[in-house]
Amino acid sequence: LREIISELFEDLEGVQLCGVAEDERGALNLLESQPVDLAIVDLELKQGSGIGVLEALQTEPQRYGPPRTVILSNHAHPAMRQRCAKLGIDAFFDKSLQMSQFIGYVQATAMRRES
């Protein structure tokens, strides 16, 4: 899925994939070293979790910058959506059902930034 998303982003004007991380620490290191406009977070990571990434972004914005945050996950049940909303996400998309909405959101975000 990561490769598919990367290829889709190449075709979207104003969208540049800045990096990919497989675990919580890698994601936070990447966000600290390179500010981004939009952080796309999966809840399930090889080590740590997307929730840990969201908590760090919320508690240390001076360290990680203020990116918009989007969850792209298979764990889209209402309780998880609520938990993520409390951590300040901007949007939540189900990988299995909402890929076109997710891509539309990314494209709209890039267009707003450019204007």
Side-chain angles (χ1 to χ4, degrees), residues 8-105:
L8 287 170
F9 284 1
E10 288 176 12
D11 296 333
L12 297 178
E13 190 172 328
V15 175
Q16 178 184 356
L17 183 63
C18 297
V20 176
E22 295 186 357
D23 59 26
E24 183 177 328
R25 177 65 2 226
L28 294 173
N29 287 342
L30 185 62
L31 290 167
E32 184 175 21
S33 68
Q34 182 175 359
V36 298
D37 296 316
L38 179 66
I40 301 164
V41 180
D42 193 341
L43 295 174
E44 195 169 307
L45 303 173
K46 286 191 177 186
Q47 284 190 314
S49 72
I51 294 294
V53 173
L54 295 177
E55 288 172 342
L57 290 173
Q58 186 179 51
T59 59
E60 296 184 80
Q62 71 286 354
R63 183 174 181 181
Y64 301 109
R68 296 177 69 86
T69 52
V70 172
I71 298 297
L72 183 61
S73 178
N74 286 326
H75 304 285
H77 48 83
M80 187 55 72
R81 287 178 182 267
Q82 287 178 344
R83 184 171 181 195
C84 292
K86 288 179 183 176
L87 292 170
I89 65 163
D90 295 288
F92 193 117
F93 297 97
D94 186 320
K95 281 184 198 179
S96 303
L97 305 171
Q98 297 180 298
M99 284 303 294
S100 60
Q101 292 96 325
F102 164 70
I103 296 299
Y105 180 89

